Amino acid sequence: MKLKRRKFDSLIIGAGGGGLRAALQLSRADAKVAVVSKVFPTRSHTVAAQGGVNAALANVSPDNWHFHMFDTIKGSDYLGDQDAIEYMCRAAPKVVYELDHFGVPFSRRDDGNIYQRAFGGQSQDYGGAQASRTCAAADRTGHAILHALYQQNINARTHFFDEFFAIDLIKDEQGYVLGALALEIETGEPILIEAKTTLIATGGAGQLFRTCTNALINTGDGMAMALRAGIPLQDMEFFQFHPTGIAGKGMLITEGVRGEGGYLVNADGERFMERYAPQAKDLASRDVVSRAIAIEIREGRGCGPDKDFVYLKLDHIGADIIKKRLPGIRDTAMTFAHVDPIESPIPVYPTAHYTMGGIPTDRHGQVVVPEHHGPEEPVPGLYAAGECACVSVHGANRLGGNSLLDILVFGRAAANHIIEHLKANRYHRPMNEESIERALDRLKRWDKKGEGESVAGLKAELRKVMEEHCGVFREQEVLSEGMEKVQALKSRLQDATISDHSQIFNTARIEALELENLMDIALATVTSALGRTESRGAHSRVDYTERDDENWLRHSLYFHNGSMDYKPVRIKPMTVDPFPPKPRVY
Amino acid sequence: MQFSIYRYNPETDEKPYMQNMVLEQVSSEMMLLDALLALKNQDESLSFRRSCQEGVCGSDAMNINGRNGLACITPLDSLSSPVVLRPMPGLPVIRDLIVDMGQFYQQYRNIKPYLIVKDPEPEVEHKQSPQQRDKLDGLYECILCGCCSTSCPSFWWNPDKFLGPAALLQAWRFLADSRDQAEEERLEALEGPYRLFRCHTIMNCVDVCPKGLNPTRAIGNIKHLMLKRSI
């Protein structure tokens, strides 16, 4: 059968906030844009973001972008690239005002301005008093943003390929990216989408871990596609564990709860964060709070019959504020933990949440790799933005409220760069038929019939291995064993088969393709974690407990063949003085 | 626990049928989606949509013991056995519990579901008082799951002409937004015997909405605004 082909100026893979923000910018600039998404756009995981988006609007506390920049660099444990962070923090107010213009129903202050709440790691005056910088639509900010962006894309007449699964990037011999091969899930038909530029905006890989806040679709598809196309993944050892997932289940309870005045208590009823972070207390950075909870539990001060969680107490902030500012997590707590937070505390535990690492890019969203002339040479025609990318603005630990900001700022920046690229590159390059064949082979592999390992079984094993071997605290032996186990699972995956070979909406085949992606991301994560012999941000080694700036103030790069490389952190901001590494105290 | 599940694959089945399935290990903590995922481990070909598992993405809407709802926030112990699962009614079935939501999305697009502002954009945010913003509560939270429109008899009869409760809730969401400047044309577009006025206040939509929203009230508000404008 002849392969279906479509041609666009620009292809965007992923319809979360990053993809949709880029699509909107491009459609409004009259570029012909195709957005390919494996789910209907408003089902993308941006929808689940709760607390808000950071921008120094100074609506509540005195603020400016430079304070925000400092907090982000300190939060990153100095691994973030300071030029990109300056760019993001300067752009933040503008992108938030744009959101209001797009229709996002932000909560409001009495003066009619956007409501901003306190969030972790946010300060005034470079480490002074708590800042209120996080712009919120109750505790449904991601939902509000994602829907508004989709709505504006309807108005801008963006082309959507809903429920199409991207299989692989198409490249030519010279290294140009020419588009991607996708699978129409409803019909099982492959389709080639040719484009002068391709933007990967496929989100994170939280499904690596058994207990996570992430949706089932977060399987790192774009990152794995990049790996297979010869692009390394950067800083994959840094995986964020959110302090407050519902214990044993993982549903996210926003940091906004603590921003509105909630706090954590152990079995003795002690507000233990006062010991770990005397100034910021419960609003220290996420890595700090997650480790504190893990230590409390390890030392026997956990709550409940098995002493295996702590409580998040918010009944004291009152029913009015909870109903007004935190209605979504109240629902979630009642549905999944069977407690009404107006009356009782919520049992919580650190839960896998966010992939800090990803596809290396510069601050224009261009994918950059070590090639002939230094460590950051652009891959022509290829861009990445959002959680799948590593700019790096989050470094070793992301601040709450900076992920929605990241997708907006860099979705927009990538689109602006693409617009310039399209002006200079008016025509599609010749197609590389060989590259299409390789992508089609990836699909054909799952036509294999007969007995074999089950995809669901292997996925469950993988997530358990990652949780046990690559969690909040890490050490050499446990990581090595974890790496061997993941490698063994990866080779077993080659013998897996599916029993459903229908062409019509075959979800078994999609799950198999997703597991292949997840397996590669797991290896990248555990290999990078094994390599980094220091503790920095979310990467906490019990055998190397200190941060080691002399040897490790550098980004890691993991290649598909399992090898590692490193490159320097961009310490020099765009216009201001650098913030040199300092001990990190909250 | 016993399940009776609607199965249909147009490639292999002449017509749909109900399949009985059994889940041996059931705990009181399980949601219906957990059960479906476990059943899919028994039979990979069982097809349904799912993503967030916490009731915010709207993927796993289906008809559960005769009533539309989201599998991921429906506790298994709230359901009587056998649990009868069917695709949402009124829309074409693609396979098993997966429906073609094209008509539903088209009606959403038809109401121009985006903020329209005609004045020049301010350099900062639009001013909106907390009271003005409160009017959007109960409207913007819609997750487009389709539970309401596919439980509405008026939508079953005229899915191409009647906008349905989900789209009408969003129509009111923009009419109610103090920042929007397209009231006139929005109301104009809702005129006629079908688009809005096919709602007969049966209120199935209110009954099933998994987010506790009230499309019937929104429709009433639109009618009220139309009346006010005509006198």
Side-chain angles (χ1 to χ4, degrees):
Chain A
M1 199 177 62
K2 204 160 167 281
L3 180 66
K4 273 195 194 171
R5 293 173 188 236
R6 298 283 298 270
K7 261 189 190 182
F8 290 86
D9 290 331
S10 191
L11 166 64
I12 295 174
I13 306 172
L20 292 187
R21 184 64 192 82
L24 183 58
Q25 195 82 353
L26 285 162
S27 281
R28 285 183 167 189
D30 291 329
K32 210 174 161 210
V33 193
V35 178
V36 165
S37 171
K38 64 178 176 176
V39 293
F40 181 74
T42 65
R43 324 269 180 234
S44 308
H45 195 55
T46 300
V47 81
Q50 298 175 352
V53 47
N54 296 331
L57 308 184
N59 287 356
V60 176
S61 58
D63 209 357
N64 67 55
W65 63 265
H66 205 193
F67 299 166
H68 182 190
M69 178 182 171
F70 168 79
D71 290 338
T72 301
I73 292 167
K74 179 181 171 186
S76 81
D77 220 346
Y78 297 91
L79 193 73
D81 288 320
Q82 300 200 9
D83 59 338
I85 294 174
E86 177 179 345
Y87 180 80
M88 179 178 78
C89 297
R90 275 177 178 272
K94 186 181 170 64
V95 302
V96 169
Y97 293 142
E98 279 176 348
L99 289 179
D100 166 69
H101 303 162
F102 296 158
V104 171
F106 283 113
S107 300
R108 297 285 165 161
R109 290 164 41 82
D110 285 339
D111 63 7
N113 288 337
I114 292 170
Y115 169 72
Q116 297 186 280
R117 61 163 52 109
F119 239 54
Q122 307 283 350
S123 74
Q124 307 176 36
D125 288 318
Y126 317 104
Q130 176 71 42
S132 292
R133 184 178 292 143
T134 307
C135 310
D139 59 354
R140 302 187 176 104
T141 316
H143 173 282
I145 291 174
L146 185 68
H147 279 251
L149 288 174
Y150 179 59
Q151 292 164 347
Q152 290 297 338
N153 272 288
I154 292 175
N155 193 16
R157 298 170 50 225
T158 301
H159 292 262
F160 282 100
F161 290 77
D162 297 335
E163 299 189 321
F164 281 66
F165 185 87
I167 303 292
D168 255 327
L169 297 172
I170 304 298
K171 274 178 95 171
D172 67 14
E173 303 280 326
Q174 292 76 41
Y176 282 78
V177 173
L178 309 175
L181 185 81
L183 176 75
E184 182 175 18
I185 299 174
E186 183 179 334
T187 61
E189 276 184 50
I191 177 172
L192 176 70
I193 299 187
E194 280 187 63
K196 297 173 215 167
T197 66
T198 301
L199 170 68
I200 305 176
T202 50
Q207 285 295 315
L208 281 178
F209 296 91
R210 186 169 55 169
T211 310
C212 69
T213 63
N214 280 205
L216 288 163
I217 55 172
N218 291 19
T219 49
D221 302 332
M223 294 185 225
M225 247 185 293
L227 269 183
R228 287 192 297 269
I231 294 154
L233 295 182
Q234 180 177 325
D235 294 342
M236 290 302 289
E237 60 271 41
F238 299 102
F239 202 96
Q240 179 164 80
F241 291 81
H242 194 290
T244 58
I246 290 181
K249 298 190 173 170
M251 290 81 193
L252 175 66
I253 300 295
T254 175
E255 193 164 293
V257 167
R258 285 168 284 139
E260 298 288 346
Y263 55 82
L264 296 161
V265 294
N266 61 21
D268 307 328
E270 182 203 10
R271 186 175 178 181
F272 58 86
M273 278 314 298
E274 289 177 338
R275 268 189 282 122
Y276 295 89
Q279 191 190 339
K281 302 190 178 81
D282 296 83
L283 288 177
S285 271
R286 287 183 176 168
D287 57 332
V288 175
V289 181
S290 284
R291 271 193 295 275
I293 296 172
I295 292 169
E296 287 301 297
I297 289 165
R298 202 169 59 185
E299 294 181 353
R301 292 186 294 277
C303 307
D306 299 324
K307 298 174 175 293
D308 56 356
F309 59 83
V310 296
Y311 278 121
L312 175 61
K313 180 176 145 50
L314 68 157
D315 56 299
H316 59 283
I317 67 179
D320 287 347
I321 289 187
I322 292 173
K323 285 182 187 165
K324 187 99 197 145
R325 304 273 188 231
L326 304 164
I329 63 95
R330 183 178 175 228
D331 274 356
T332 302
M334 292 199 294
T335 304
F336 292 100
H338 314 296
V339 296
D340 182 350
I342 290 177
E343 287 149 15
S344 324
I346 309 171
V348 294
Y349 189 78
T351 303
H353 184 55
Y354 186 87
T355 318
M356 259 85 69
I359 304 164
T361 72
D362 62 17
R363 66 183 147 86
H364 309 292
Q366 294 190 97
V367 174
V368 290
V369 296
E371 197 79 63
H372 318 291
H373 327 284
E376 300 193 322
E377 197 173 321
V379 178
L382 186 62
Y383 295 77
E387 191 171 343
C388 68
C390 187
V391 186
S392 158
V393 287
H394 308 307
N397 170 68
R398 175 174 71 76
L399 291 188
N402 270 356
S403 59
L404 286 175
L405 182 59
D406 174 6
I407 62 178
L408 297 165
V409 168
F410 294 105
R412 190 176 181 280
N416 284 337
H417 200 278
I418 289 169
I419 290 166
E420 292 306 312
H421 179 95
L422 292 175
K423 282 183 197 157
N425 298 271
R426 297 179 57 83
Y427 307 107
H428 288 82
R429 294 175 64 83
M431 191 30 68
N432 178 12
E433 302 297 325
E434 216 172 90
S435 183
I436 303 172
E437 283 308 314
R438 272 199 298 274
L440 283 168
D441 283 346
R442 187 169 176 235
L443 261 183
K444 283 189 199 122
R445 176 256 172 273
W446 291 102
D447 293 341
K448 190 167 104 184
K449 293 186 175 147
E451 289 294 300
E453 294 241 27
S454 100
V455 168
L458 287 170
K459 184 177 177 193
E461 278 190 60
L462 174 69
R463 300 176 69 194
K464 190 156 173 282
V465 168
M466 287 301 286
E467 186 158 291
E468 286 168 358
H469 293 270
C470 207
V472 175
F473 290 111
R474 298 163 172 185
E475 68 177 293
Q476 180 86 20
E477 212 174 304
V478 181
L479 284 168
S480 305
E481 206 181 305
M483 191 160 95
E484 281 165 30
K485 285 184 179 173
V486 178
Q487 276 162 343
L489 286 170
K490 188 175 169 171
S491 59
R492 282 166 60 195
L493 180 59
Q494 286 168 2
D495 301 324
T497 52
I498 49 175
S499 57
D500 182 357
H501 295 281
S502 169
Q503 293 304 313
I504 307 296
F505 220 111
N506 186 336
T507 49
R509 176 161 61 178
I510 297 299
E511 285 175 29
L513 293 164
E514 286 175 335
L515 182 61
E516 287 177 338
N517 291 336
L518 211 47
M519 203 60 89
D520 282 342
I521 305 308
L523 262 184
T525 304
V526 71
T527 308
S528 305
L530 193 56
R532 187 173 286 269
T533 50
E534 65 156 354
S535 287
R536 183 185 297 273
H539 177 66
S540 191
R541 292 279 301 247
V542 295
D543 41 1
Y544 300 91
T545 54
E546 298 302 313
R547 192 176 81 195
D548 176 3
D549 289 329
E550 204 172 307
N551 295 303
W552 284 108
L553 191 59
R554 53 184 184 156
H555 296 296
S556 67
L557 295 170
Y558 169 88
F559 292 82
H560 201 206
N561 64 9
S563 66
M564 299 289 310
D565 194 1
Y566 295 91
K567 68 176 185 183
V569 174
R570 292 197 295 269
I571 296 285
K572 196 173 164 345
M574 298 194 311
T575 66
V576 293
D577 288 337
F579 289 103
K582 281 202 291 198
R584 190 157 158 262
V585 192
Y586 282 99
Chain B
M1 198 164 190
Q2 307 276 335
F3 294 82
S4 171
I5 303 177
Y6 179 101
R7 301 298 308 268
Y8 177 59
N9 181 345
E11 262 186 335
T12 48
D13 303 328
E14 249 174 58
K15 56 181 189 191
Y17 62 97
M18 298 301 288
Q19 182 188 11
N20 293 320
M21 295 185 88
V22 182
L23 200 58
E24 299 293 346
Q25 286 186 318
V26 177
S27 82
S28 62
E29 289 291 285
M30 279 171 92
M31 294 291 171
L32 173 59
L33 179 61
D34 301 320
L36 275 168
L37 293 169
L39 290 170
K40 192 173 172 62
N41 284 349
Q42 293 176 20
D43 177 356
E44 274 183 347
S45 69
L46 175 62
S47 306
F48 50 91
R49 294 188 178 102
R50 83 288 179 279
S51 180
C52 75
Q53 313 168 84
E54 56 183 30
V56 298
C57 80
S59 298
D60 62 351
M62 56 188 69
N63 189 269
I64 306 160
N65 282 348
R67 197 185 137 88
N68 287 351
L70 299 178
C72 61
I73 53 171
T74 300
L76 213 46
D77 60 13
S78 71
L79 300 172
S80 60
S81 183
V83 180
V84 181
L85 299 177
R86 295 173 181 275
M88 286 194 290
L91 292 176
V93 174
I94 296 172
R95 180 178 176 176
D96 297 348
L97 301 172
I98 297 170
V99 291
D100 178 351
M101 293 183 70
Q103 273 173 333
F104 173 81
Y105 295 139
Q106 188 52 50
Q107 296 297 25
Y108 174 68
R109 296 171 82 102
N110 285 345
I111 62 102
K112 299 196 172 173
Y114 38 83
L115 194 74
I116 298 174
V117 180
K118 294 170 182 171
D119 291 343
E121 270 174 2
E123 307 97 289
V124 294
E125 68 265 61
H126 294 104
K127 299 283 182 218
Q128 186 172 51
S129 72
Q131 296 72 30
Q132 288 171 327
R133 167 61 183 77
D134 284 351
K135 295 201 172 124
L136 307 182
D137 282 339
L139 306 174
Y140 82 93
E141 301 94 323
C142 173
I143 57 174
L144 298 177
C145 63
C147 283
C148 60
S149 293
T150 63
S151 64
C152 171
S154 298
F155 191 75
W156 295 339
W157 282 108
N158 294 294
D160 51 340
K161 289 188 248 172
F162 174 53
L163 288 164
L168 287 166
L169 184 83
Q170 290 313 298
W172 176 243
R173 179 248 172 277
F174 288 99
L175 284 164
D177 194 321
S178 62
R179 298 169 294 180
D180 192 82
Q181 296 179 328
E183 180 178 296
E184 195 75 20
E185 57 207 72
R186 288 187 190 281
L187 290 177
E188 200 72 45
L190 295 170
E191 294 286 357
Y194 284 99
R195 278 169 247 175
L196 168 76
F197 286 97
R198 272 286 138 166
C199 168
H200 297 308
T201 58
I202 299 165
M203 294 184 73
N204 282 0
C205 53
V206 183
D207 186 47
V208 299
C209 176
K211 306 305 284 182
L213 312 180
N214 191 328
T216 306
R217 191 194 300 145
I219 292 166
N221 288 336
I222 299 174
K223 287 179 179 169
H224 185 74
L225 192 62
M226 279 181 160
L227 190 68
K228 229 169 66 180
R229 200 177 60 129
S230 68
I231 48 173

